[in-house]
Every structure is written in C-alpha cells, then in structure tokens.
Amino acid sequence: MTPQLLIFLGAVVYLSWALVRYLKSRNNPDDRPFIEVLDDVAEPPAPPPKQRPHRKDSDGDREWRKRIKAEIEDLTK
C-alpha cells in the first residue's frame, strides 16, 4: 500500500468515527446543549457601589505641589 492510500483510509476511518459520534449525541435527549441559555429574570442586578466624596487638598499638599511645579519649571528653562 502506498502512503497516500494509508492516509486516505485513515481520514475515512476518522471522519466515519466523528460522524457516528455526532449522530449518537444528536439523538441523545438527555444531552445538554453546548451553549446553555439562562433565564433573564434569574437575579436582579446589584446596585452600583457608593462612591466616596473626593477629599480636599490640605495646605501642605498645595504647597508641595507648588514647589514641585516650580522646580520642574526651573529645570525645563
């Protein structure tokens, strides 16, 4: 037998086996679908989390930012 014939026979056997498996699973009533559809009314959506109010910058933070901004401007001049 030539290698081409062996490959062809192997492909035929494999495709036959796949077809038999497909037909068996198609006729099985207990088999679940690949994609399971869920009910839309399963659970109400959770409320969004409450956001904390933004904290205000203290005087120290503002001063620190001003100093850093001034240093950056001095370095880029």
Side-chain angles (χ1 to χ4, degrees):
M1 280 200 236
T2 65
Q4 292 171 340
L5 183 61
L6 287 174
I7 291 171
F8 175 74
L9 290 176
V12 169
V13 168
Y14 174 74
L15 290 174
S16 301
W17 172 76
L19 179 67
V20 168
R21 279 192 53 167
Y22 170 73
L23 291 175
K24 275 187 178 180
S25 68
R26 200 175 121 194
N27 292 332
N28 189 359
D30 296 333
D31 194 20
R32 294 181 184 232
F34 180 71
I35 298 174
E36 188 174 348
V37 178
L38 301 176
D39 292 336
D40 289 338
V41 292
E43 261 184 52
K50 294 183 179 178
Q51 296 180 350
R52 295 184 301 173
H54 296 294
R55 67 178 182 91
K56 295 190 177 187
D57 292 338
S58 64
D59 291 336
D61 287 341
R62 277 189 233 117
E63 286 295 322
W64 180 80
R65 285 196 177 96
K66 283 181 187 177
R67 278 190 283 125
I68 296 296
K69 192 181 238 182
E71 285 182 24
I72 291 173
E73 287 177 1
D74 288 343
L75 292 174
T76 56
K77 285 183 180 179

